[in-house]
Amino acid sequence: MKIGNLTIEGKAVLAPMAGVSDKPFRTLCRRFGAAYVITEMVSSKALQFQDKKSVELMTLSEQEHPVAIQIFGDDPSIMAQAAQKASAFHPDAIDINMGCPAPKIARSGGGSALLKQPKLCGEIVSAVKNAVDLPVTVKLRKGWSRDCVNVVEVAQICDEAGADAICVHGRTRDEMYTPPADWDIIRKVKEAVSVPVIGNGDVFSAQDAARMLEETKCDLVMVGRGALGNPWIFSQINAYTQNSCTILPPPGLSSRMLVMLEHIRALCDCKGEYVGMREARKHVGWYVKGLRGAAEFRRRGGYLETYEELVELVKDIIEENQNEDLMPKSFTEFSGEAPKA
C-alpha cells in the first residue's frame, strides 16, 4: 500500500512510545518485519532551541527505513518549522501527535488536547503539509472524553487538510489504556475518509491483528504494548495475514534471551552503558514475562548496572527454565566483549 509516495510492505506498524521506541528498538522491530516505525514524540517548541535530546530522538539509522519522525505541539507555524527541521534527518514521513493522553502534554495544548479544537487540527496538518515534501500522517484518539467522541469529525478535517494517512487509537483521552479499545470507531473513520487508516489498540497477537483488519477494514494495524519484550510479533502478524493464516510459534527460550541480549547491547552501544542499562531494566521485565521465576528475575533486573550482570542473569534464567545443554552455541558472542561506554 501507499502512504503518499511511500510504499509500505507488511501489515503492522510499530507505535511511537515515549521511553521505548528508540533507535535500538525501532531497528529490532524492523528486522522482525514491522512495516514501518515511528520515533518517540519530539517537542516542536524544544526544536526551536536546538534541544540536544530532541536531536538524539530524531537521529535515524539506515536499518530503520521506512521510518517517520513524530512531532507534537499546538502552534501551526511552530509545528511547520519543526517538521522542516525534522526533515533534515531524512525520515520517510512526518507524524503529528494528536493523541497522547499524558497530562504534561495535554496541559500544554498538545497531544489529545487538540481533539477539543478540530479547526486547529486542520490548520496544523495544513501547515506541516505545506512545509515539507514528505508524507504527513496523524495519530488520533477516539476523543477527548466520553462526552467528546469526535474522532470521525477530526479525521475528516485532517483528511481535507492534506494528511496522507490517519491512525486511530480506539480509546478516549480519559480512558488512557483501559477499557478495551473501541474498534468500531476505527471502522467509522475508515468509512469517512479517503486516505489509509491505521488501527491502534489491543493488538497483542497475530490473530488480534487479523481480526482488527477484518472488523474495521483498516489498512494497517499499529502495535504498541504488544511488542514490549515481544518484537517477533511483527513476523507473526505478517505470516498470519499474508500467508493463509500461518501461525509462527514464539521463539524458544534461548532465542528469546539472545534477542534480549542483542537489544540491550544495542541500547548500551547507542546510549552508553550507564544510561543503557538503566533503560534496559524495564525491557528485562517484559522479556521474562511468563517464565518460571519471572518475579525474581524482574526484581534482579531492576538493579542491573552493567551488561556483564545482565549476561549472568540470562544464564540463571536459562538454568531455571531449561536444561544447560540447550544453551545456544552462539551465546558466547554476547558474553565476551563489554558494550561501549
Side-chain angles (χ1 to χ4, degrees), residues 92-104:
D92 300 287
I94 299 294
D95 186 58
I96 302 173
N97 185 319
M98 295 185 179
C100 179
K104 68 177 182 179

Side-chain angles (χ1 to χ4, degrees), residues 16-314:
M17 294 177 282
V20 175
S21 300
D22 53 19
K23 188 186 340 182
F25 192 57
R26 297 193 304 265
T27 302
L28 182 63
C29 290
R30 276 289 294 142
R31 198 184 85 198
F32 276 103
Y36 80 97
V37 295
I38 307 172
T39 68
E40 302 172 71
M41 59 183 175
V42 179
S43 168
S44 60
K45 293 180 180 178
L47 282 178
Q48 290 186 303
F49 304 103
Q50 305 295 321
D51 178 61
K52 181 180 178 181
K53 181 179 179 181
S54 297
V55 170
E56 292 173 354
L57 291 175
M58 296 188 296
T59 301
L60 310 174
S61 67
E62 286 299 320
Q63 293 76 25
E64 295 176 61
H65 295 275
V67 54
I69 290 178
Q70 186 184 79
I71 58 176
F72 75 92
D74 64 340
D75 185 301
S77 63
I78 294 177
M79 287 286 281
Q81 294 170 32
Q84 290 176 332
K85 291 179 180 179
S87 67
F89 290 81
H90 307 294
D92 300 287
I94 299 294
D95 186 58
I96 302 173
N97 185 319
M98 295 185 179
C100 179
K104 68 177 182 179
I105 304 299
R107 279 197 299 266
S108 68
S112 55
L114 289 169
L115 296 169
K116 297 187 289 184
Q117 302 185 70
K119 183 174 179 291
L120 179 58
C121 292
E123 292 171 354
I124 289 173
V125 171
S126 180
V128 170
K129 184 68 178 177
N130 290 330
V132 296
D133 187 24
L134 290 169
V136 174
T137 62
V138 182
K139 191 170 192 296
L140 304 171
R141 275 193 168 235
K142 179 179 176 179
W144 171 254
S145 67
R146 295 178 185 178
D147 298 323
C148 180
V149 175
N150 62 342
V151 68
V152 173
E153 175 194 0
V154 175
Q156 289 176 321
I157 289 172
C158 291
D159 182 8
E160 293 169 2
D164 294 289
I166 293 169
C167 177
V168 180
H169 184 128
R171 295 184 178 93
T172 61
R173 184 263 175 182
D174 60 2
E175 289 174 332
M176 298 293 284
Y177 298 99
T178 55
D182 179 2
W183 289 2
D184 189 53
I185 200 70
I186 299 172
R187 178 185 57 79
K188 290 178 180 177
V189 170
K190 175 61 182 174
E191 294 171 348
V193 300
S194 63
V195 295
V197 170
I198 305 165
N200 181 216
D202 292 349
V203 175
F204 295 99
S205 69
Q207 292 86 345
D208 290 339
R211 284 195 305 107
M212 176 180 278
L213 289 165
E214 174 62 27
E215 292 178 16
T216 71
K217 308 303 179 186
C218 65
D219 301 278
L220 295 167
V221 297
M222 180 172 280
V223 184
R225 290 175 296 157
L228 301 179
N230 185 34
W232 41 84
I233 190 174
F234 297 102
S235 299
Q236 294 173 320
I237 290 172
N238 290 337
Y240 194 85
T241 58
Q242 299 177 35
N243 194 18
S244 303
C245 299
T246 297
I247 297 177
L248 288 183
L253 176 64
S254 297
S255 296
R256 184 171 170 177
M257 292 297 98
L258 282 170
V259 170
M260 180 179 75
L261 285 166
E262 182 177 356
H263 180 183
I264 303 311
R265 166 158 261 169
L267 260 180
C268 292
D269 286 346
C270 180
K271 304 181 181 184
E273 188 174 32
Y274 182 86
V275 174
M277 288 309 302
R278 279 153 182 77
E279 293 192 4
R281 294 169 180 175
K282 57 179 178 283
H283 289 286
V284 171
W286 293 323
Y287 276 108
V288 303
K289 183 178 179 180
L291 297 180
R292 185 164 59 245
E296 174 61 15
F297 294 133
R298 277 195 303 272
R299 186 195 67 77
R300 288 175 57 186
Y303 293 96
L304 289 171
E305 294 187 353
T306 68
Y307 187 79
E308 287 78 7
E309 290 175 354
L310 175 64
V311 170
E312 292 305 312
L313 177 61
V314 167

